[in-house]
Amino acid sequence: MAERHTSRNAPTGRHDLGAQDPARIRNVVLVGPPGGGKTTLVEALLLHTGALSRAGTVEDGTTVSDHEEFERAHHRSASLAVVPLVHRRTKINLLDTPGYADFAGEVHAGYRAADAALFVVPADAATDGTLDDATRLLARDCLDAEVPSAVVVTKLDHARADLAAVVGALRETFGERVMPLFEPVREGERITGLQHLLAPGSASPEQAAAHDRLVEAIVEEAEDEALMEAYLDGEEVAESALVADVDAAMSHGVFHPLLPVCATAGVGLGELLDLVVAGFPAPAERRVPDAFTPEGRAVAAQAADPDGPLVAEVVSTSSDPYVGRVSVVRVFSGTLRPDVPLHVSGHAASFLGADHGHEDHDEDERSGPLSYPFGGQLVPAAEIVAGDIGCVSRLSAETGDTVSSPEEPRVLRPWSMPDPQLPVAIEAETRSDEDKLSEALTRLAAEDPSLRVERNAETHQVVLWVLGEAHADLALDRLRSRYGVQVVERDLVVPLRETLAGPATGHGRHVKQSGGHGQYAVCEVEVEPLPAGGGFEFADRVVGGAVPRQFIGSVEKGVQAQMARGTRLGYPMVDLKVTLVDGKSHSVDSSDMAFQTAGGLALREAAEAAGVVVLEPYDKVAVLVQDSLVGETMSDLSARRGRLLGTDQVGDGRTRVLALVPQTELVRYAIDLRAATHGAGTFTREFAHYEPMPEELADGVSSRR
């Protein structure tokens, strides 16, 4: 009978969290749906290694997770948590991520900091033999992240647990190479241990068949010639050799070992930690992100060498009431030490575009105290070596910034971030809050690159672009609790435009006499609308000096000033040609300002005669949804006055729907789409052009004048 494995590793306690050898470091991000058991699994692993004295409490009495007020109030994780532990003389940094789509930015940061992923899914997740849409989306993101990944199935003791159904459902997304390494051993209703499917020999024909499939998958995907030769010769391949080649098999992104775990019973924890140590890649085995000089010249990537040039990246930022800003960094090369000169580079705009919301910056400063995150506290660190993850205090860096030595400054290509599509307009509640708001927003955006702050010069609104309602609530809560700024939400103002409905003439007369020099200016203009995007044209057909040459430019300035103010609702006027055809002047009382005023009055009269059309902005929208929801999505876009442009099949059961949609109909679309697609639908948009708004809707728009 094959060897039965249980949680055999003796607790190691909370040892020194520093690591000197990158080969003895493993960085593993935990991803999965909300309620899947990620945080429970982390706490169980800490208990197993002796770092916890009881569930949720480390040995000195502090808590595992230092949750913000928002997280406590909403009973959900909203940020990346780095939890280190030690197993078999190897430091394992577990990066616990939120499961909710609103905090997908934290998941992306976790992928960047990690060298491998654990996709955590509960044993009751396969409803009707398939995963829900949101879980499948998370699984696809895990594949797209291109990090080796394994699967952990939790909650084996749940009443509706069905391990076989979950394995089958996972294979629909991850592929057929989702291979269980163990099979639960039960005594009645209790799960008492795991049967290792890699061990030679089997207790049943089913287990023997599973063993053969597993061995074949590892041998094929690992591309180990010696192992392949022994297997083809019919030799019994040693379990240790197979485990040693798991990381090679995982490296191609096709083979995904699966481990069943029952955290509450302590079953599978030792096996999981053993697999991470023996079968997951060390930092030196993973490719370093593309590196450049601040001037943009590509440079060779550095391996995880503690003696190499310093290259690290800020993967998370927070504010501590006692130590100020705390930057969580992944060190890719070199060794980070306290109180030494550093170069901090942020070049998101160069890579991702100026509209990303983060300006490029380069600063030289000194590193502050170093520490390791552990539960609700920071454990002092003497240094942080290549491959490890730690914290730097009092560093004025943003999430995503590169930290390097001033002698050899580097910039790492930023990781991809989800594009926030939900706008939330805010304003300070009081004058004192207004004074603090700008700095608070700058710090908030520095911490969270998935949040974009827009200060709209046209609408005079401050707009937070977020991923969803919970993301918005978190941002507002942080403004209040971290920075002491109270804000209120306002209706979003969509920037409209005005233009003339047709050609018209206008007469502008500005004559005032009240002693001394008066004001005298008269002008006649012809105004006609230009095609969409035509801009503004000004022409002069005045003859006989009716308007002196020095005042023709004054008329043009007056017309443009009136166009900026609008004539109907107070929105800027666009796409007009204005021709000055006649006028009158006075040798003493005419002036630049008088003719500017007359030019504005002439445009207003022409607008009143021709009628004003309100224009609204349209965006080109690309909506990615499940195939089964294409019809519903198209109907919804049509109901939003959108014009459908077509569809694209993208595979994996999803379709992209393209449409032109008014921006006024997209204000809450991020929320509505998520609800309609059960969290699996996403969309992008870009400005297309302006089009006339239906008159019945324009009549309901509030005037800004």
Side-chain angles (χ1 to χ4, degrees), residues 45-360:
L45 292 171
L46 289 170
L47 275 167
H48 178 80
T49 56
L52 290 185
S53 58
R54 60 186 183 278
T57 309
V58 296
E59 56 190 13
D60 60 4
T62 58
T63 58
V64 175
S65 301
D66 186 18
H67 291 298
E68 298 182 74
E69 181 178 335
F70 171 88
E71 296 175 299
R72 292 192 297 269
H74 294 79
H75 305 288
R76 66 178 64 170
S77 175
S79 56
L80 177 70
V82 182
V83 183
L85 54 82
V86 178
H87 180 76
R88 300 198 182 280
R89 297 182 297 108
T90 299
K91 180 181 180 181
I92 303 173
N93 290 311
L94 299 174
L95 294 92
D96 189 11
T97 64
Y100 290 91
D102 277 19
F103 310 115
E106 303 293 320
V107 181
H108 286 234
Y111 284 130
R112 180 58 162 247
D115 302 308
L118 287 175
F119 189 77
V120 182
V121 61
D124 62 338
T127 305
D128 298 326
T130 186
L131 301 175
D132 64 63
D133 295 326
T135 302
R136 285 204 298 271
L137 179 62
L138 285 169
R140 282 192 292 265
D141 287 345
C142 188
L143 291 173
D144 293 342
E146 297 182 343
V147 296
S149 56
V151 178
V152 175
V153 179
T154 61
K155 301 185 179 181
L156 297 178
D157 53 350
H158 193 280
R160 294 191 299 274
D162 190 339
L163 180 59
V166 170
V167 172
L170 286 165
R171 285 174 174 165
E172 292 181 0
T173 301
F174 280 99
E176 289 300 316
R177 292 301 202 192
V178 174
M179 293 287 180
L181 297 183
F182 300 89
E183 184 174 287
V185 175
R186 299 177 181 271
E187 292 182 5
E189 297 298 321
R190 293 177 55 249
I191 298 173
T192 58
L194 298 179
Q195 180 78 32
H196 206 325
L197 295 176
L198 278 180
S202 299
S204 69
E206 292 79 9
Q207 290 176 348
H211 168 82
D212 292 342
R213 290 193 299 270
L214 179 58
V215 171
E216 179 182 350
I218 295 176
V219 169
E220 287 185 0
E221 298 301 333
E223 298 180 353
D224 185 326
E225 293 184 4
L227 196 67
M228 176 69 76
E229 185 176 346
Y231 176 73
L232 293 176
D233 288 343
E235 299 178 18
E236 187 66 59
V237 182
E239 175 186 339
S240 58
L242 292 168
V243 172
D245 270 4
V246 164
D247 67 330
M250 293 171 58
S251 65
H252 300 105
V254 176
F255 175 73
H256 308 280
L258 182 146
L259 291 90
V261 170
C262 185
T264 56
V267 173
L269 302 177
E271 289 83 351
L272 175 57
L273 291 170
D274 286 346
L275 176 67
V276 169
V277 170
F280 276 28
E285 300 173 55
R286 295 291 297 151
R287 186 177 68 84
V288 177
D290 296 336
F292 303 84
T293 65
E295 296 76 28
R297 178 174 55 85
V299 293
Q302 298 289 333
D305 180 6
D307 297 322
L310 176 65
V311 180
E313 189 169 34
V314 179
V315 295
S316 181
T317 310
S318 63
S319 296
D320 185 276
Y322 302 104
V323 299
R325 180 175 293 186
V326 178
S327 301
V328 179
V329 298
R330 162 70 193 263
V331 181
F332 289 101
S333 172
T335 299
L336 182 60
R337 296 182 173 89
D339 196 31
V340 298
L342 296 176
H343 184 80
V344 179
S345 293
H347 284 240
S350 296
F351 293 101
L352 305 176
D355 59 352
H356 183 70
H358 296 266
E359 296 182 359
D360 289 351

Side-chain angles (χ1 to χ4, degrees), residues 535-699:
F536 171 69
E537 296 180 11
F538 184 83
D540 161 32
R541 293 208 312 266
V542 175
V543 295
V547 177
R549 304 306 301 175
Q550 68 267 30
F551 296 135
I552 290 176
S554 303
V555 175
E556 181 178 359
K557 285 195 294 184
V559 168
Q560 288 184 305
Q562 187 63 56
M563 288 177 64
R565 294 190 297 269
T567 60
R568 176 177 174 180
L569 297 174
Y571 289 95
M573 301 190 77
V574 296
D575 303 333
L576 293 181
K577 179 179 180 180
V578 178
T579 303
L580 177 62
V581 296
D582 200 2
K584 295 180 181 179
S585 65
H586 188 278
S587 59
V588 175
D589 293 340
S590 290
S591 65
D592 171 65
M593 286 306 303
F595 272 100
Q596 285 192 44
T597 303
L601 292 171
L603 177 61
R604 290 173 58 180
E605 183 175 286
E608 185 175 346
V612 175
V613 176
V614 177
L615 305 175
E616 60 180 334
Y618 272 65
D619 283 353
K620 183 177 181 180
V621 176
V623 188
L624 189 61
V625 296
Q626 308 94 302
D627 289 345
S628 60
L629 296 177
V630 170
E632 181 179 332
T633 301
M634 295 172 70
S635 296
D636 179 67
L637 292 172
S638 297
R640 296 174 186 269
R641 300 188 288 120
R643 293 200 305 277
L644 299 172
L645 301 178
T647 60
D648 293 329
Q649 291 287 334
V650 299
D652 197 22
R654 294 183 296 169
T655 298
R656 182 178 291 107
V657 181
L658 305 175
L660 287 171
V661 186
Q663 285 186 11
T664 54
E665 302 287 349
L666 293 173
V667 174
R668 290 183 56 85
Y669 187 58
I671 299 171
D672 298 338
L673 178 65
R674 182 172 297 171
T677 61
H678 312 292
T682 60
F683 79 105
T684 59
R685 63 181 180 180
E686 60 180 348
F687 172 74
H689 53 252
Y690 276 85
E691 291 188 18
M693 174 181 279
E695 194 61 28
E696 64 272 16
L697 296 179
D699 287 340

Side-chain angles (χ1 to χ4, degrees), residues 66 80 82 106 313-330 336 365 368-379 384 389-400 403 443 446-448 478 482-483:
D66 186 18
L80 177 70
V82 182
E106 303 293 320
E313 189 169 34
V314 179
V315 295
S316 181
T317 310
S318 63
S319 296
D320 185 276
Y322 302 104
V323 299
R325 180 175 293 186
V326 178
S327 301
V328 179
V329 298
R330 162 70 193 263
L336 182 60
E365 52 186 295
L370 305 183
S371 57
Y372 295 110
F374 192 89
Q377 64 178 347
L378 299 174
V379 179
I384 305 171
I389 298 173
C391 299
V392 189
S393 299
R394 298 196 292 272
L395 194 66
S396 61
E398 300 184 6
T399 299
V403 178
R443 296 173 66 181
E447 296 172 7
D448 184 359
R478 284 177 173 172
R482 285 189 182 180
Y483 306 116

